Amino acid sequence: MITVLTGGTGGAKFVDGLRQIVRPEELTIVVNTGDDLLWWGLYVSPDLDSITYMLADKLSQERGWGVQGDTFFCLQAMGQLGQPTWFHAGDRDLATHIFRSKLLADGKTLSEATSEIATRLGVRARVLPMSNSRVETRVLTPVGDLSFEEYFVQRWYQDPVESVRFAGASDAEPAPGVIEAIRSADLVLLAPSNPVTSIGPILAVPGIREALRESRTRTVAVSPIVGGEAVTGPAATLMAAQGFAVSIAGVADYYRDFLNLLVVDSQDAPAAEELRKTGLRVHCTPTIMRKYEDRIALAKSVLEAAMRSPSVKAALEQA
């Protein structure tokens, strides 16, 4: 079994590549919920939705979020009623939010609601929220303390960032199955997601980082930083705000206490050679996923690098 920690558009693309070469039943996806928000009174979980839509072949490839071919009539109508419209929820997407909110109102946990939605959409991989507890990524800027979606979507991540925190994390617990998925996996992968706001909230839930540290499973991360810059989004700004270098070395430092192998882009080969001197295994390969074929190629390269471990190779060959 392969367990993937993920969030964001890069994470969804990577998981899309993985599912083409690994049976979905062999994948457990632990997803960031630090971006979750209440929108028009509905509980929205952007990263859970993107992963679920992708696994169900419903994700909009043009936008990287939401449902393919969606319409936005409700958004227009809500705007006419004077409601905020900066979070562009489509009509079919809203159906998911309504159904999730109904399940939660009926007493279901977020894990149970996620499983119900995935099952109804025909998803065969196991999708787990990082926690059933509310953990909210907060970004401190000169204009105030913003939720991640306010910072990222409403304000287009243009504000200088002073710090990032995960409100509620210290009191949260891993969702059922998360720790077991890490401990029992043949391989744990960290997708090329923003280390601070896509993977960081997952690691902030007590017990998850400890499980990664204590696990005998090989842990492999794919760097979202290429040539000293983020491939997309505000990862560079957020890493710098948290005191990490905007480089593959900074990514390695963020995961240092549990990381066995870092996968970096080929153009970072000179920096990779320096990083190897610290004792960390580093694998260079093209990591930018512009086309569908790039996703599969990256997933194959990551698994091939991981399979240099005999125990991982045996487990994956059985899959």
Side-chain angles (χ1 to χ4, degrees), residues 35-294:
D35 300 3
D36 291 10
L37 72 158
L38 285 176
W39 182 250
W40 300 338
L42 303 174
Y43 190 100
V44 180
S45 190
D47 284 351
L48 278 174
D49 291 337
S50 291
I51 286 292
T52 303
Y53 293 154
M54 183 275 298
L55 292 169
D57 294 315
K58 293 181 180 295
L59 182 68
S60 170
Q61 299 301 320
E62 293 80 10
R63 296 191 304 272
W65 53 268
V67 179
Q68 180 70 35
D70 212 345
T71 54
F72 293 85
F73 295 113
C74 185
L75 186 76
Q76 296 169 10
M78 289 294 277
Q80 292 170 354
L81 292 171
Q83 297 304 299
T85 58
W86 56 263
F87 188 82
H88 289 181
D91 299 326
R92 294 177 179 87
D93 196 18
L94 279 170
T96 300
H97 309 329
I98 292 169
F99 185 50
R100 177 188 293 113
S101 300
K102 178 183 183 301
L103 292 172
L104 294 175
D106 289 342
K108 300 289 187 181
T109 64
L110 184 59
S111 291
E112 292 167 338
T114 299
S115 178
E116 180 77 10
I117 292 167
T119 298
R120 289 179 180 270
L121 292 181
V123 172
R124 292 183 292 156
R126 190 182 186 197
V127 181
L128 301 175
M130 66 189 197
S131 178
N132 285 330
S133 306
R134 188 74 173 94
V135 176
E136 185 178 12
T137 299
R138 305 292 303 184
V139 182
L140 183 61
T141 74
V143 299
D145 187 31
L146 307 174
S147 71
F148 181 75
E149 294 300 329
E150 289 171 330
Y151 163 75
F152 182 66
V153 178
Q154 184 180 25
R155 301 184 62 83
W156 289 86
Y157 52 93
Q158 296 300 305
D159 299 295
V161 176
E162 298 175 10
S163 65
V164 179
R165 63 186 176 91
F166 309 115
S170 61
D171 297 322
E173 295 181 356
V178 169
I179 299 300
E180 292 77 10
I182 292 171
R183 289 176 174 167
S184 64
D186 301 305
L187 177 65
V188 175
L189 300 177
L190 277 67
S193 305
N194 186 322
V196 177
T197 54
S198 289
I199 304 298
I202 302 175
L203 301 179
V205 176
I208 293 182
R209 192 164 200 138
E210 291 81 358
L212 289 167
R213 279 202 301 264
E214 296 167 2
S215 175
R216 298 179 181 178
T217 300
R218 182 169 294 270
T219 302
V220 180
V222 184
S223 174
I225 301 296
V226 175
E229 297 180 356
V231 176
T232 59
T237 298
L238 294 166
M239 287 184 67
Q242 294 296 87
F244 290 89
V246 183
S247 64
I248 62 170
V251 176
D253 284 342
Y254 203 88
Y255 301 141
R256 174 71 65 182
D257 54 329
F258 58 79
L259 187 64
N260 301 119
L261 170 66
L262 181 65
V263 177
V264 305
D265 193 80
S266 299
Q267 66 180 276
D268 280 310
E273 193 58 40
E274 288 300 310
L275 198 51
R276 290 189 184 102
K277 294 178 182 178
T278 68
L280 179 67
R281 280 192 60 205
V282 185
H283 173 65
C284 296
T285 191
T287 62
I288 298 177
M289 297 173 285
R290 293 191 178 93
K291 300 182 295 184
Y292 176 73
E293 294 78 11
D294 297 335

